[in-house]
Amino acid sequence: MPQVSEPNTKLHPINDCPTKLRSSDSNQIGGTPVVHGNVTQLSAKIRAYVEESVALCQPDRIHIVDGSHEESDILLHTLETRGTIKPVTHFEHCWIAHTDPADVARVESRTFICTERREQAIPTPREGVRGTLGNWISPADYEAAIKARFPGCMKGRTMYVIPYSMGPIKSPLSKFGIELTDSAYVVCSMHIMTRMGLNVLEKLTDNSDFIKGLHSVGTPASGKIAMAFWPCDPERTIILHKPATNEIVSYGSGYGGNSLLGKKCFALRIGSTIAQREGWLAEHMLILGITNPKGVKKYIAAAFPSACGKTNLAMLNPTLPGYKMECVGDDIAWMKLDSKGQLRAINPENGFFGVAPGTSSETNPNAMNIVHKNTIFTNVASTSDGGVFWEGMEHDISPDVEITDWMGKPWKMGVSKTPAAHPNSRFCVPARQSAIIDPAWEDNDGVPISAIIFGGRRPDGVPLVYEANSWAHGVFIGSAMRSETTAAAEHKGKQIMHDPFAMRPFFGYNFGHYMKHWLTMEERAAKLGGHMPKIFHINWFRKGDNGEYLWPGFGENCRVLEWILQRVDGQDCYEQTPIGRIPAPGALNYEGLHAPVNEKKLFSIPKDFWLLEVEDIRQYYADQVPHDLPPEIAKELDDLQRRIEQM
Ligand code: O2Y
Ligand code: MN
């Protein structure tokens, strides 16, 4: 059995160099020298994976990532020397990275799931309709895509071997991965976002299974890299997933979800396929612990499309006296039934990769308080006093500082026409730094989930909160989720877009089969003597006749969570409506709100609106899942329509 030992070489200063080093000793893989770490640290399975990837990518050297802070610091220094990052001198051990402006976000159109048959990966849409629930690639095209991009793509570069764990290393709910990458930025970010290094390698001896992830920032076919500090190949970017072999292959982008393979690629796309096979749920959900004034603690999991304040809810500052909210996770939940049929969740991640713009002392003081140390910012603006800036921070900086935008140009508040920070700019920070991190956030057994919440940004017609009548009704509500897009997103103007379960870009398999899997969870829980959590839908964003928000939001949202947990306790504080259960008049606690709330408007269920909503959902299913819609979901829609017609 390979033993984990101290690296036998001093950390190599990892500057890319044109001449291939020749290895004279045995610390090499496929003739390529291992310049950090030792080949004996790798199990035979990992070594074989590295060897085949080395043969394909032809890096000059291999670095087995040990996960130490010293290693991360040397890589950060290397990145600084290359001009990829610069220090944020105002803060402690913080950095700003600037990317090539052509590589700034996940690219959904270039993200594919590879299966033998198309319908395993995505639903077949109605003829003449463009499917919006993912992209399929055949095994032959998958191979061809790799062959067209990867041969020799790491020449002159270092291949980093990152052993990492999604979830606490000792948790039975966790899974391991190996990411091979030629990006030191990815290594430093994975150091924050995952548990990684030698502790994981120790667990991967004995040929244990792992999720394979091969990543290269790529080199354009012309051989010309546009920005030396941020090599990438946007024209040929592709992100591939092969659930049958638990493989991820990503080329051309160094940014976030495209390159930190543990996050969306593993924890959601591949994760959802493993969860389907093994009978659990891998979801795009935050996990929040709520302690009420009596000291009773409950956990909720919640799914929101982007631009709905998911991170803000994960880090909520409650306004109701006596309440305490603690964060387990802000983006992804892996949820499994325990032996008693109780759903338990872990956050598979180790850090937060939050959207910076809109985050401020007003909207999310808890996030602002943690980004002052050990944080890598990407594509934010910088200030002349050595700090950072993004839209929303106007009151958080001193008025006399000068601002340089994310592209390196001088920027003037109220004058410049372009945003200071890229709308998808990010902070990447260790979760353990948070003062509101839940004490149980690393519990190996996960935390018990009492309620599942779906939400969306719905200016019209959708009440502040409603409860599903049953598990199947709740699954239907998740499948019918819609949300207003912001103009900043890739879509033009404001539209109400379907985003089922907030998973539209992250399904690893056919959405119809995914709904079916969710439906089976009820019986699985019952067989174990338990039951699935109640399901709710919330909408903080309903507007009145003059376009004003009807609900104050932010910290006041704890009032809605209070009602949800009263319902979880079985309190009779609801009124039945055709769409589900809403708070009985006066059941929601409005005491101490700064301005009165128009409860009637906030909870009204306009018949005309809901008839149109039903029509839209029916059309969506007919267009996008005409063959794979579970009959239980079709029935829920019919029942909803009937109840609304009878209003
Ligand atoms: O644009 C990216 O690459 C990041 S995407 C992302 C990052 C953190 C949390 N959620 C998301 C998302 O797209 O849902
Ligand atoms: Mn997300």
Side-chain angles (χ1 to χ4, degrees):
M1 190 171 44
Q3 291 298 307
V4 175
S5 59
E6 281 302 299
N8 75 342
T9 30
K10 271 198 133 237
L11 197 61
H12 189 271
I14 311 116
N15 286 314
D16 293 346
C17 65
T19 25
K20 181 154 175 142
L21 298 173
R22 300 230 173 267
S23 175
S24 53
D25 64 14
S26 57
N27 197 20
Q28 43 88 11
I29 299 177
T32 304
V34 176
V35 296
H36 183 73
N38 196 300
V39 65
T40 57
Q41 293 167 312
L42 307 179
S43 73
K45 239 185 212 168
I46 302 176
R47 210 180 305 176
Y49 178 47
V50 177
E51 191 161 351
E52 102 200 13
S53 306
V54 162
L56 177 68
C57 305
Q58 300 162 36
D60 276 19
R61 58 197 89 82
I62 298 163
H63 174 131
I64 300 169
V65 174
D66 64 37
S68 66
H69 288 288
E70 294 73 27
E71 174 189 63
S72 178
D73 281 350
I74 290 178
L75 293 176
L76 287 164
H77 178 72
T78 307
L79 287 168
E80 188 183 352
T81 313
R82 281 187 206 157
T84 310
I85 61 172
K86 58 180 189 190
V88 181
T89 52
H90 202 61
F91 299 157
E92 185 190 330
H93 199 251
C94 291
W95 309 83
I96 302 184
H98 292 293
T99 72
D100 183 319
D103 187 20
V104 289
R106 283 189 296 103
V107 274
E108 284 174 33
S109 57
R110 292 159 183 265
T111 300
F112 296 87
I113 309 290
C114 173
T115 49
E116 285 294 329
R117 287 175 295 110
R118 182 192 297 263
E119 59 274 20
Q120 293 170 301
I122 55 170
T124 308
R126 185 165 62 84
E127 216 179 303
V129 169
R130 189 182 63 85
T132 57
L133 290 158
N135 304 307
W136 173 74
I137 190 166
S138 71
D141 287 347
Y142 176 96
E143 291 305 328
I146 294 171
K147 277 211 185 92
R149 292 168 174 82
F150 278 87
C153 69
M154 294 189 189
K155 272 184 189 158
R157 296 182 184 160
T158 303
M159 174 188 276
Y160 299 95
V161 179
I162 312 176
Y164 67 100
S165 172
M166 296 313 288
I169 290 178
K170 291 189 179 146
S171 167
L173 282 76
S174 298
K175 306 249 175 233
F176 299 136
I178 297 287
E179 176 163 353
L180 309 178
T181 178
D182 54 7
S183 163
Y185 167 86
V186 166
V187 179
C188 296
S189 304
M190 288 287 280
H191 191 250
I192 295 172
M193 293 305 295
T194 68
R195 286 106 178 154
M196 53 104 102
L198 296 185
N199 310 354
V200 177
L201 267 192
E202 275 169 23
K203 288 281 195 178
L204 278 170
T205 52
D206 285 340
N207 279 344
S208 332
D209 283 330
F210 56 87
I211 308 302
K212 293 176 177 172
L214 175 60
H215 167 253
S216 173
V217 295
T219 306
S222 65
K224 286 197 190 109
I225 290 170
M227 313 260 168
F229 59 88
W230 190 270
C232 58
D233 188 0
E235 303 264 297
R236 299 195 299 163
T237 291
I238 196 159
I239 295 102
L240 304 165
H241 307 74
K242 201 183 227 182
T245 51
N246 282 341
E247 262 177 283
I248 303 159
V249 178
S250 168
Y251 174 91
S253 164
Y255 199 82
N258 301 330
S259 66
L260 312 182
L261 300 187
K263 196 171 181 54
K264 304 298 185 180
C265 300
F266 178 170
L268 289 178
R269 297 195 192 97
I270 293 289
S272 65
T273 67
I274 300 174
Q276 184 205 27
R277 281 200 298 273
E278 296 181 354
W280 50 278
L281 300 170
E283 300 301 325
H284 191 200
M285 290 183 179
L286 65 89
I287 309 165
L288 179 65
I290 306 168
T291 309
N292 74 12
K294 290 186 182 143
V296 179
K297 182 151 199 184
K298 295 249 159 63
Y299 291 91
I300 58 144
F304 296 91
S306 51
C308 288
K310 188 173 167 195
T311 306
N312 295 351
L313 180 61
M315 301 178 186
L316 187 87
N317 256 357
T319 52
L320 280 180
Y323 270 88
K324 188 171 175 187
M325 310 273 176
E326 287 160 305
C327 176
V328 176
D330 73 330
D331 196 37
I332 298 174
W334 280 0
M335 302 189 286
K336 215 173 203 167
L337 292 164
D338 68 13
S339 58
K340 294 188 178 133
Q342 164 70 54
L343 194 68
R344 304 188 78 92
I346 60 162
N347 168 11
E349 300 193 278
N350 193 45
F352 305 127
F353 192 73
V355 180
T359 308
S360 69
S361 310
E362 265 164 85
T363 61
N364 193 339
N366 290 315
M368 293 304 280
N369 288 340
I370 56 172
V371 297
H372 293 167
K373 58 178 184 186
N374 306 321
T375 304
I376 301 177
F377 299 93
T378 303
N379 289 342
V380 301
S382 51
T383 57
S384 53
D385 63 350
V388 292
F389 176 78
W390 50 75
E391 278 61 27
M393 269 183 77
E394 290 77 5
H395 302 299
D396 286 319
I397 54 162
S398 128
D400 49 3
V401 295
E402 283 168 19
I403 296 171
T404 304
D405 77 6
W406 72 281
M407 308 268 269
K409 299 212 175 72
W411 188 91
K412 282 247 171 322
M413 207 181 293
V415 177
S416 297
K417 297 277 178 274
T418 49
H422 187 278
N424 192 38
S425 55
R426 299 276 168 170
F427 54 82
C428 177
V429 59
R432 65 176 175 278
Q433 265 175 221
S434 171
I436 51 136
I437 198 75
D438 193 88
W441 85 285
E442 299 203 272
D443 267 16
N444 290 335
D445 295 334
V447 296
I449 297 297
S450 296
I452 291 176
I453 301 176
F454 296 122
R457 180 181 280 268
R458 300 300 305 266
D460 300 309
V462 179
L464 176 64
V465 57
Y466 64 100
E467 177 192 333
N469 300 326
S470 64
W471 178 252
H473 182 220
V475 178
F476 159 74
I477 290 171
S479 77
M481 272 168 72
R482 299 175 70 196
S483 194
E484 187 181 67
T485 59
T486 56
E490 71 267 46
H491 319 284
K492 287 204 184 83
K494 292 191 174 184
Q495 298 171 45
I496 308 289
M497 302 269 292
H498 283 268
D499 189 354
F501 296 84
M503 281 285 282
R504 192 188 50 74
F506 308 120
F507 290 119
Y509 63 100
N510 185 318
F511 166 51
H513 306 168
Y514 169 95
M515 285 186 265
K516 198 168 163 198
H517 175 57
W518 262 72
L519 289 167
T520 67
M521 292 302 290
E522 186 178 32
E523 201 183 321
R524 286 177 204 273
K527 274 191 182 147
L528 292 163
H531 58 85
M532 289 303 280
K534 277 181 180 294
I535 296 180
F536 298 82
H537 186 279
I538 56 180
N539 172 30
W540 315 131
F541 302 98
R542 192 165 187 178
K543 288 182 175 171
D545 301 336
N546 301 317
E548 77 289 3
Y549 285 113
L550 293 174
W551 178 249
F554 300 110
E556 305 296 6
N557 292 338
C558 68
R559 297 167 190 271
V560 175
L561 299 178
E562 178 180 62
W563 179 79
I564 286 175
L565 292 183
Q566 285 166 359
R567 287 297 303 137
V568 166
D569 282 346
Q571 290 185 37
D572 186 20
C573 50
Y574 74 94
E575 185 176 277
Q576 187 66 52
T577 78
I579 68 163
R581 298 162 186 166
I582 61 171
L588 206 69
N589 181 354
Y590 299 113
E591 223 178 287
L593 276 176
H594 290 307
V597 159
N598 188 334
E599 187 179 39
K600 221 169 152 207
K601 273 193 183 164
L602 201 50
F603 286 101
S604 73
I605 296 161
K607 182 171 179 175
D608 290 352
F609 171 91
W610 277 93
L611 284 173
L612 285 176
E613 184 75 0
V614 164
E615 210 176 285
D616 182 281
I617 298 166
R618 197 174 289 289
Q619 190 63 52
Y620 181 68
Y621 290 160
D623 284 348
Q624 297 295 330
V625 260
H627 312 289
D628 301 301
L629 188 72
E632 296 91 329
I633 300 296
K635 180 177 178 309
E636 287 296 336
L637 179 61
D638 291 342
D639 289 351
L640 174 63
Q641 179 166 2
R642 193 181 21 78
R643 293 194 302 264
I644 293 167
E645 282 168 352
Q646 286 167 0
M647 269 174 96

